[in-house]
Amino acid sequence: MIQLTSIRLREIRLPLREPFRISSGTMVDRRIALLELTAADGTTTWSECVADDMPNYTAETIDTAWLAITRWIAPRVLGRSFEAPGDVHAVLEADFRGHLMAKASVEMGMWGIAATQAGISLARFIGGTQATIPVGISLGIQASPAHLVEKVRDALSQGYRKIKLKIMPGRDVEYVRAVREAFPDAPLMADANNAYSLDDPAALLAMDDMHLMMFEQPLAWEDIVRHASLQTLLKTPICLDESITSLDRAQDMVTLDAGRLINIKPGRVGGFAESIAIHDFCEANGVPVWCGGMLESGIGRAYNVALASLSNFQKPGDLSPSARYWARDVVTPEWTMSADGMVTVPFDVPGIGVTVDVDRIDNLTVRIETVAH
Ligand code: OSB
Ligand code: MG
């Protein structure tokens, strides 16, 4: 039985070590909402909301999430007894549309509370089986193909198992070709964040012979049907990211052959229950999944790493070590990657697996609000 008595929200500002540019926007200083959840038995845990400053990945932002959490989510969960954390999702979906990142931040925190109460790691609590997970890096759009080649060289030397190149019209074919020519056998993929249209697939067709592992989300952020048409034109498998917001959308993707892989981000689909449902559905249908990232702090990363320990996370996840993003993370130990590109799941640490550095968070906090039952 889990019952939450309070949620304390904080906004922190965490500067990225370098700006991260994707087709839909550039991130420099992350504005991150962290939640500290307290249960009736005194158990506490932390969770993270992945919404950013601008609505250019999905429609949510940190400010809409703050409103949704304090005004609509907290009243539905505080003081209410849940048999299991898996029951929270249905309550939040019942009469309340959208705001999936906001919902996920609370829902995931409930999984964190439940694992802590059970005295086992979150990964064990959800039935994870993989003790180490291969890591991929996501490289933002660079000033020139030569710059990108150097970034890829550095990432490969660090041991990364998958290199994701962000692309957009005009920063695509020449960039990917330069990298492929420099590294003929590297595990490369490209992520367009919606930048292309079915009317003009020429650049995608030009990259179709470059032995990419997948094209991630080439078309519009809510589209499924056009991706199905596009997939018929391409040998390279399509991987959907933005378009998969629920199990239903994953089923639509498989029904229509609109993609052959899914990047699961728990924040995007409303939390762990829906992530696990998508994972299980994909596993039963022979569709590999991998864990995406949203430039999370070490708190959000803890949830992603736990989730990625499930058996059908079959491709390297966007689970880079803390030092790739931040001068200093908000957790100890910081997240690291082995020389052969693996992150270790903290299977034997109860709860989310890292200790939250509250002093550091206090220093970074610009806004705080507590909602209590
Ligand atoms: O499309 O996967 C994406 C970051 C912000 C918004 C969207 C995306 C990303 C990434 C970052 O690719 C992956 C990471 O966290 O390392
Ligand atoms: Mg993506």
Side-chain angles (χ1 to χ4, degrees), residues 164 166 191 193 216 241 265:
K164 166 161 127 179
K166 292 288 187 178
D191 185 0
N193 293 102
E216 183 174 337
D241 173 357
K265 296 178 182 172

Side-chain angles (χ1 to χ4, degrees), residues 8-14 29-35 46 49 51-53 61-63 66 360-369:
R8 170 173 276 199
L9 290 93
R10 295 161 186 262
E11 176 181 342
I12 63 165
R13 301 282 165 97
L14 206 51
D29 287 327
R30 284 285 337 266
R31 296 176 63 198
I32 299 176
L34 298 176
L35 279 61
W46 289 73
C49 181
D52 201 21
D53 181 46
T61 71
I62 179 171
D63 299 299
W66 196 284
R360 171 142 175 81
I361 289 173
D362 278 339
N363 287 328
L364 299 167
T365 297
V366 297
R367 172 161 62 144
I368 195 158
E369 185 173 346

Side-chain angles (χ1 to χ4, degrees), residues 22 41 45-46 48 89 105 122 130 161 166 171 270 327:
I22 67 179
D41 68 352
T45 200
W46 289 73
E48 175 166 344
H89 181 73
S105 66
L122 183 57
Q130 312 193 78
R161 298 289 189 103
K166 292 288 187 178
R171 306 271 179 111

Side-chain angles (χ1 to χ4, degrees), residues 43-103:
T43 307
T44 65
T45 200
W46 289 73
S47 68
E48 175 166 344
C49 181
V50 298
D52 201 21
D53 181 46
M54 284 288 294
N56 53 24
Y57 168 75
T58 63
E60 285 184 89
T61 71
I62 179 171
D63 299 299
T64 68
W66 196 284
L67 178 77
I69 293 165
T70 54
R71 187 114 173 244
W72 304 308
I73 298 172
R76 284 172 170 76
V77 297
L78 290 176
R80 183 170 186 148
S81 294
F82 291 93
E83 209 54 61
D87 298 339
V88 177
H89 181 73
V91 167
L92 292 180
E93 284 303 301
D95 59 349
F96 171 10
R97 306 285 181 258
H99 300 277
L100 293 171
M101 293 177 178
K103 289 173 178 172

Side-chain angles (χ1 to χ4, degrees), residues 135-337:
V135 178
I137 193 170
S138 176
L139 294 174
I141 292 164
Q142 304 294 317
S144 71
H147 282 90
L148 183 60
V149 167
E150 288 321 302
K151 289 277 181 194
V152 173
R153 187 186 311 284
D154 180 48
L156 288 169
S157 76
Q158 290 179 54
Y160 280 103
R161 298 289 189 103
K162 172 168 75 79
I163 312 285
K164 166 161 127 179
L165 310 174
K166 292 288 187 178
I167 54 170
M168 62 187 282
R171 306 271 179 111
D172 45 27
V173 183
E174 297 317 313
Y175 283 67
V176 177
R177 180 180 292 126
V179 174
R180 180 47 88 211
E181 282 173 0
F183 309 104
D185 302 318
L188 303 178
M189 60 169 291
D191 185 0
N193 293 102
N194 329 310
Y196 297 88
S197 89
L198 191 55
D199 302 332
D200 186 12
L204 297 168
L205 291 167
M207 292 182 283
D208 198 29
D209 287 323
M210 296 183 187
H211 305 289
L212 300 178
M213 297 168 74
M214 63 194 96
F215 285 122
E216 183 174 337
Q217 195 71 34
L219 306 180
W221 62 289
E222 289 181 303
D223 177 78
I224 302 275
V225 170
R226 288 163 191 78
H227 280 100
S229 301
L230 180 63
Q231 184 68 84
T232 67
L233 306 176
L234 297 171
K235 298 191 293 282
T236 308
I238 291 173
C239 170
L240 294 183
D241 173 357
E242 284 89 331
S243 292
I244 306 297
T245 51
S246 65
L247 174 61
D248 286 355
R249 293 293 84 73
Q251 290 169 340
D252 294 347
M253 183 194 92
V254 170
T255 302
L256 298 175
D257 193 24
R260 305 206 170 138
L261 301 114
I262 293 178
N263 158 346
I264 298 183
K265 296 178 182 172
R268 191 192 64 228
V269 303
F272 261 36
E274 199 72 356
S275 296
I276 294 167
I278 293 168
H279 166 275
D280 293 352
F281 167 76
C282 287
E283 185 157 61
N285 285 275
V287 175
V289 304
W290 53 279
C291 188
M294 291 290 291
L295 312 178
E296 288 91 346
S297 82
I299 294 172
R301 198 162 306 281
Y303 286 87
N304 289 349
V305 169
L307 183 68
S309 72
L310 295 174
S311 54
N312 192 39
F313 280 85
Q314 288 295 336
K315 304 283 174 198
D318 283 345
L319 301 167
S320 287
S322 302
R324 143 106 178 112
Y325 310 93
W326 325 111
R328 192 176 141 202
D329 207 336
V330 298
V331 300
T332 51
E334 294 205 344
W335 291 99
T336 56
M337 181 176 78

